Amino acid sequence: MSIHYTFPDGLQIRHATMADLHAVTELIIACDIVDFGKPDYSEDELRQNWQRANFQLATDAFVLHSAAGEIIGYTDICPSRGGIYINALTRVHPDYRQLNLDEALFEMAEAYACQRVTSAQVDATLSPLAWTISTDVKRLSLLEQRGYRSVNTEWRMEIDFHEPPLAPTWPEGIAVRQFVVGQDEQSVHQLIQEAFQDLRDYEYESFDDWQGWAFKHGNFQPALIPIITSGAEMIGVAWCYGFSDGGAWIYQLAIAQPWRKQGLGLQLLRQSFYMLYQHGIRNVGLTVDLQNVTGAARLYERAGMHLAERHDTCEKQLDCKKK
């Protein structure tokens, strides 16, 4: 699908390729340093985004480059059950922000989303979803001006370890062990999908889609993934990655539904902290949907985590009916 959009000052837009992975990552990191004071992204994370289900790199990702070929802007779209996402990683290099290219990228992405739907010979009203951080006042203002409204809020929560964290205390009959490669993959996938099925807008991931990102991450280490069991039954898991800078991220934490409200979530979180600390980790983060029906945010606060950032998902209705 061709792109018909003109940017100022000789800048050109094209579809991204895997060869752009490093340059786009460097763009995002440059923006993070200016906006948040530190880098907060990696090539592995971008590669995962580009390999996620329902996403086609050759048609859904866009890079904006200068006449010299330098990549100075990025955005992408991805179909989902709730609409089409316009990536939170829509970025413009700090040296080019005076050109108001963020708005141009959003306008282009919205137009492309409609083009994608109408080319499929269907009538539709799209709901593009744009994710932004609450401290990015300019981005929030831009989205409001373009007719977006906040429909969901997530917290990024963190904890810093200045001393060894508390070890967990397990009820009688509950055991803990680490993930075993070649044994636990299917069971962990099933546990996570069943545990998350009551979360708002959660989309079921097939085993192939889930393992496509879970095990390809460059920081996958079985020793950092605690599993809790009752007899032969797997009842909880925390999917964690540790990073070389001394930080870690808990991507998924799940307790089987029949075992909830018994304090196991708090103990599993403490087990994760304890294991990560033993491997040199001193900062752990995660995100939580504030509409999570399990009350996860309160659980994380009880474990000592604090609010680091607020992320808002903003929605806008686009009428893409064929004329």
Side-chain angles (χ1 to χ4, degrees):
M1 193 176 293
S2 59
I3 309 171
H4 302 289
Y5 199 89
T6 302
F7 285 85
D9 294 346
L11 300 176
Q12 296 184 345
I13 192 81
R14 63 171 172 81
H15 289 295
T17 70
M18 193 57 73
D20 297 318
L21 181 68
H22 179 73
V24 174
T25 303
E26 289 298 303
L27 165 66
I28 295 168
I29 289 175
C31 293
D32 283 348
I33 291 173
V34 169
D35 295 336
F36 313 125
K38 62 179 181 179
D40 191 33
Y41 209 67
S42 69
E43 283 192 18
D44 278 336
E45 290 174 286
L46 183 59
R47 185 182 292 107
Q48 286 178 35
N49 274 335
W50 284 359
Q51 294 175 340
R52 65 193 186 272
N54 301 324
F55 184 80
Q56 299 180 30
L57 178 61
T59 59
D60 296 341
F62 309 87
V63 292
L64 183 64
H65 63 87
S66 67
E70 177 191 8
I71 292 178
I72 57 94
Y74 174 81
T75 193
D76 68 36
I77 65 172
C78 183
S80 72
R81 186 172 60 190
I84 287 187
Y85 283 94
I86 296 175
N87 203 331
L89 296 176
T90 298
R91 292 287 190 269
V92 172
H93 194 281
D95 293 344
Y96 289 82
R97 289 182 177 177
Q98 74 278 7
L99 299 178
N100 295 319
L101 297 174
D102 294 75
E103 182 169 8
L105 284 173
F106 271 103
E107 183 176 335
M108 184 214 70
E110 291 172 11
Y112 183 78
C114 271
Q115 180 184 353
R116 177 170 176 158
V117 170
T118 55
S119 67
Q121 303 297 314
V122 296
D123 290 341
T125 299
L126 290 183
S127 299
L129 304 173
W131 176 97
T132 187
I133 186 170
S134 61
T135 54
D136 191 343
V137 177
K138 185 176 180 180
R139 174 64 61 85
L140 281 172
S141 176
L142 169 61
L143 291 173
E144 290 173 357
Q145 291 172 14
R146 294 197 60 79
Y148 286 81
R149 62 183 181 88
S150 178
V151 294
N152 190 53
T153 299
E154 291 183 340
W155 281 1
R156 172 176 174 149
M157 303 186 73
E158 295 183 1
I159 186 170
D160 295 301
F161 301 127
H162 303 292
E163 57 186 27
L166 291 174
T169 55
W170 297 106
E172 184 177 354
I174 302 299
V176 62
R177 61 174 175 83
Q178 71 180 46
F179 181 88
V180 178
V181 175
Q183 170 185 300
D184 292 326
E185 289 85 349
Q186 293 282 353
S187 297
V188 167
H189 169 260
Q190 181 178 348
L191 171 61
I192 290 173
Q193 301 310 311
E194 291 179 354
F196 287 4
Q197 65 183 355
D198 57 355
L199 300 183
R200 192 182 79 93
D201 290 337
Y202 183 73
E203 296 187 29
Y204 174 86
E205 280 188 294
S206 69
F207 178 74
D208 287 342
D209 288 340
W210 178 77
Q211 73 167 351
W213 65 262
F215 301 106
K216 290 183 179 179
H217 197 292
N219 295 287
F220 169 67
Q221 299 180 59
L224 301 184
I225 300 173
I227 289 173
I228 56 175
T229 61
S230 174
E233 181 184 4
M234 183 183 297
I235 62 173
V237 63
W239 201 263
C240 310
Y241 294 128
F243 304 104
S244 59
D245 63 358
W249 195 258
I250 301 177
Y251 277 75
Q252 294 177 316
L253 188 146
I255 298 292
Q257 292 188 16
W259 292 88
R260 292 178 184 172
K261 300 187 183 302
Q262 300 181 44
L264 296 179
L266 178 60
Q267 300 309 319
L268 178 56
L269 193 58
R270 286 178 173 168
Q271 178 70 37
S272 302
F273 293 165
Y274 186 79
M275 292 174 66
L276 291 166
Y277 186 87
Q278 298 302 313
H279 285 80
I281 298 299
R282 296 298 180 265
N283 172 273
V284 179
L286 51 74
T287 56
V288 57
D289 188 333
L290 292 191
Q291 297 184 5
N292 184 314
V293 296
T294 66
R298 294 189 298 274
L299 166 68
Y300 302 147
E301 288 177 326
R302 290 201 303 273
M305 305 191 80
H306 64 272
L307 172 63
E309 296 171 356
R310 168 178 160 160
H311 302 159
D312 290 302
T313 299
C314 301
E315 180 185 65
K316 172 184 178 179
Q317 296 293 320
L318 286 180
D319 186 359
C320 297
K321 293 181 180 180
K322 290 180 67 65
K323 305 299 183 183

